[in-house]
Amino acid sequence: MAKVFIYPATSLILSDLVARFGHKPLGAALGIRERIQTAGVDSPPLQITPEEPKRGLKYAAVEVPSGVRGRMAIYGPLIEEAEAAIIVTDADLAFGCMGCARTDELILFSLRQSGIPILELKYPANEEEGVQFVAAIKKFLDGLENGGET
Amino acid sequence: MSRKVRIAQLSCGPEYSGVQKEIYEAAESVDAEVFFPDIALADVERAVDTFGLDVRSADLKLMIARGKALVDGTVDADGVFIGTCFRCAEAAIVRNELRRYIHEHSRLPVVSYSFTERTTAGTLLTRMEALTTIAHRRALLAREEQTGITMGVDSGSITTKAVVMKDNEIVGTGWHPTTEVIKSAESAVADALEMAGLTREDIQAIGTTGYGRFLIGKHLGADLVQEELTVNSKGAVYLADHQRGSATVIDIGGMDNKAISVIDGIPGTFTMGGICAGASGRFLEMTAKRLGVDITELGPLAMKGMGVNVPMNSYCIVFGTQSLVNALAAGSSREDVAAAACHSVAEQVFEQQLQEIDIKEPVIMVGGTSLIEGLVYAMGQLLQTEIVVPPHSQYIGAVGSALLASGFIKGE
């Protein structure tokens, strides 16, 4: 079972696909769950405190907006942990979105720099493309080292 | 029990900056609630297309859609808070255009703010308080005439001012440096009463404003304790005799600056800056001290100088003072240095704050710094307009408080 970073990280469909094909999806749900389960932190809605943008300094300089650094404090460690990644570009908002275009750029750059296997796909525009989309993801996940046959 | 004031939040990034809690707390402390306007996903792209600003960040698209819903009336709110990350260019464009759009197409009061992870509820308090005041107290803010005998006290960061008004006239004033907050207020009040020939018992209602408003308000048993954004707007248009129509109020204070776009005496959009003291009255105070003149002499001195002769382009009060010292050491005249300091402050306010509101004439400058004519001149040059400095402009907060307090006289 490989740890697969998903982009958009908030995509439940992508997360579900990765899990169904026997791998561990690394995305927003994981990053946020960890914070919500941290006792003693009271910073709704995501339990992100002003400490996160400071931790994000590991991934982006101080002149980068706090919102980008806060996001990177969540996604940066997941990218470091990832053994593979699936990137879906031009996704519909309903499929999942990261909110901030600057964070998008930094995450995609970090993934491409990491040297892990990456599958980059364009969001399907019709049913036929949708079938090919799922098939490509399945093929990629099946081919991962230590990948799970489902 | 009155309904809570509902403030619509249009934002990008506060939850990831860890400051959403601070926004909630600031709103709660002034009995308001912050909410996110509900938007159907299908409406987002449509709203962005109609608005015409092709941004890439999805949260900014959502901001635009929410702003449009407020203007279209599909979502009800009493005020709008627009917040985006400091240093984000894409967000700054959306923040400004959305603020302008809401201001032009609705009657909703709007405050915009760019936050960092260091933003606290305390920083946001005055802004939230102003939004709730505008929403809750429109009837009070509509008051154009002072009646009876009332007193206003403005407990500022550098000075404390008191004004006694009687039948729409200022009959007493008091001014003291703010040292111990209550003692300074007591001294200012005593001077104002003495000048008016009245006693505390004669005062029918009291209003307080400024940083120390809560403490002073409690101490004096004030009828009205109100933030300085609405109070100063009211005081400015009252003193400038321009209570109807549009106006712009600029108050360069000791610790922060206010730029307010006013309609019929009520703030429409406003900013309250204070990231750097280089653009504050404190810098001018330090300049006067370094030049060996009283702050009251700085303005006339600046009028005799040419600011362009002295390079002074730092945003920082420390480096700004260093530029000033270097210029004097290099042989610049005191007049030129004084003019450069005034220009530097005016330019920073112009660049950092006046870009965030709509400048409409008349431009009224108020507060203690409005008496520094070199500063008023520099601002006029930058805005290419004649700045109005009304009489008693240094007592603006106290006058606004006294005026509004008359709404609390029994039988009013």
Side-chain angles (χ1 to χ4, degrees):
Chain A
M1 185 177 74
K3 294 173 181 173
V4 183
F5 188 87
I6 54 167
Y7 175 91
T10 53
S11 174
L12 294 177
I13 295 172
L14 207 47
S15 177
D16 184 59
L17 275 174
V18 170
R20 274 175 194 245
F21 293 128
H23 296 281
K24 183 180 179 184
L26 302 182
L30 199 67
I32 300 298
R33 187 177 67 197
E34 198 177 292
R35 277 159 182 82
I36 289 173
Q37 289 176 343
T38 305
V41 178
D42 179 23
S43 186
L46 303 177
Q47 298 298 72
I48 291 173
T49 71
E51 287 305 306
E52 260 77 18
K54 287 177 196 160
R55 289 189 193 114
L57 286 168
K58 182 180 175 188
Y59 307 98
V62 72
E63 66 263 31
V64 175
S66 52
V68 177
R69 286 185 279 117
R71 285 174 171 96
M72 288 311 292
I74 298 170
Y75 300 123
L78 295 179
I79 292 170
E80 286 172 355
E81 196 185 336
E83 293 159 335
I86 298 173
I87 295 169
V88 178
T89 54
D90 299 330
D92 189 86
L93 288 179
F95 183 73
C97 84
M98 312 285 285
C100 167
R102 301 292 87 77
T103 309
D104 287 342
E105 289 156 4
L106 191 52
I107 285 179
L108 294 180
F109 179 74
S110 303
L111 286 170
R112 287 165 187 151
Q113 289 292 105
S114 68
I116 57 174
I118 295 175
L119 173 67
E120 288 203 40
L121 291 165
K122 205 171 172 191
Y123 185 71
N126 52 47
E127 193 175 335
E128 192 185 333
E129 284 181 20
V131 172
Q132 290 169 5
F133 176 81
V134 176
I137 290 172
K138 182 177 186 309
K139 189 180 171 193
F140 174 75
L141 292 172
D142 286 349
L144 290 176
E145 198 181 353
N146 302 324
E149 291 290 328
T150 55
Chain B
M1 200 178 123
S2 63
R3 170 178 85 81
K4 280 195 170 191
V5 171
R6 282 169 54 77
I7 298 173
Q9 181 177 329
L10 312 181
S11 61
C12 180
E15 57 279 64
Y16 289 97
S17 299
V19 297
Q20 184 59 46
K21 188 187 177 203
E22 304 296 324
I23 297 172
Y24 286 141
E25 277 185 12
E28 272 171 28
S29 64
V30 293
D31 204 24
E33 62 179 356
V34 164
F35 74 101
F36 295 92
D38 268 344
I39 300 291
L41 201 54
D43 293 338
V44 175
E45 290 295 350
R46 200 180 310 137
V48 172
D49 283 346
T50 318
F51 192 69
L53 186 56
D54 188 18
V55 288
R56 290 184 55 203
S57 293
D59 281 359
L60 294 175
K61 291 182 183 188
L62 190 56
M63 270 177 74
I64 292 171
R66 284 173 165 159
K68 275 194 71 64
L70 290 168
V71 167
D72 295 343
T74 53
V75 174
D76 280 334
D78 299 312
V80 185
F81 174 79
I82 303 180
T84 60
C85 292
F86 180 58
R87 294 195 183 107
C88 179
E90 186 184 33
I93 291 170
V94 175
R95 193 179 70 237
N96 269 330
E97 296 310 323
L98 205 51
R99 188 255 317 144
R100 184 174 294 131
Y101 174 77
I102 295 169
H103 183 56
E104 284 174 1
H105 294 90
S106 76
R107 295 284 286 175
L108 290 168
V110 184
V111 62
S112 62
Y113 190 73
S114 57
F115 50 77
T116 70
E117 66 269 34
R118 292 175 187 272
T119 297
T120 62
T123 318
L124 299 169
L125 176 68
T126 302
R127 295 163 177 88
M128 289 292 185
E129 196 185 345
L131 278 179
T132 57
T133 302
I134 296 162
H136 246 173
R137 291 181 158 167
R138 273 199 180 266
L140 179 72
L141 294 176
R143 171 169 290 273
E144 294 182 355
E145 199 169 300
Q146 187 273 344
T147 52
I149 302 173
T150 60
M151 181 165 70
V153 183
D154 178 2
S155 177
S157 62
I158 292 183
T159 56
T160 301
K161 286 80 66 179
V163 155
V164 175
M165 292 184 76
K166 185 180 178 188
D167 300 333
N168 215 26
E169 296 282 340
I170 295 169
V171 293
T173 59
W175 180 101
H176 273 262
T178 305
T179 49
E180 286 180 60
V181 175
I182 289 179
K183 273 190 183 171
S184 301
E186 284 288 4
S187 303
V189 165
D191 287 355
L193 286 171
E194 188 184 342
M195 187 175 162
L198 296 167
T199 65
R200 281 284 292 275
E201 288 66 40
D202 297 318
I203 304 295
Q204 294 171 283
I206 297 174
T208 63
T209 189
Y211 279 97
R213 62 188 178 278
F214 295 109
L215 187 66
I216 300 299
K218 196 175 171 191
H219 179 73
L220 297 174
D223 305 271
L224 175 74
V225 178
Q226 199 155 303
E227 37 62 45
E228 50 271 36
L229 286 158
T230 50
V231 169
N232 287 13
S233 298
K234 202 65 207 165
V237 296
Y238 171 80
L239 287 177
D241 197 18
H242 190 84
Q243 305 221 43
R244 298 288 169 92
S246 302
T248 305
V249 178
I250 301 172
D251 180 359
I252 300 176
M255 243 166 53
D256 58 39
N257 310 314
K258 297 159 222 36
I260 312 162
S261 185
V262 177
I263 300 170
D264 296 337
I266 299 175
T269 58
F270 49 89
T271 69
M272 194 174 163
I275 286 176
C276 178
S280 72
R282 184 73 73 180
F283 177 60
L284 296 173
E285 201 178 36
M286 283 181 68
T287 302
K289 197 174 170 188
R290 182 63 186 78
L291 294 176
V293 297
D294 188 78
I295 185 75
T296 55
E297 297 167 51
L298 186 70
L301 195 67
M303 292 302 286
K304 293 180 201 156
M306 291 288 285
V308 288
N309 294 341
V310 177
M312 193 177 286
N313 54 9
S314 174
Y315 271 6
C316 168
I317 192 166
V318 176
F319 291 130
T321 310
Q322 194 177 333
S323 301
L324 185 149
V325 171
N326 288 342
L328 287 171
S332 292
S333 70
R334 293 159 78 237
E335 289 80 1
D336 285 354
V337 168
C342 288
H343 180 78
S344 168
V345 170
E347 193 173 43
Q348 284 195 51
V349 173
F350 175 73
E351 288 176 1
Q352 293 176 24
Q353 289 191 267
L354 297 182
Q355 307 301 322
E356 298 237 349
I357 62 160
D358 293 314
I359 306 283
K360 299 243 170 90
E361 290 181 328
V363 177
I364 308 167
M365 269 183 84
V366 294
T369 55
S370 65
L371 299 182
I372 302 172
E373 54 185 306
L375 180 63
V376 176
Y377 173 78
M379 190 60 83
Q381 289 290 302
L382 283 165
L383 293 176
Q384 288 295 299
T385 187
E386 196 168 323
I387 307 279
V388 176
V389 179
H392 294 106
S393 64
Q394 71 273 38
Y395 293 105
I396 195 75
V399 172
S401 294
L403 167 68
L404 294 176
S406 58
F408 290 83
I409 295 173
K410 272 187 183 174
E412 280 284 320

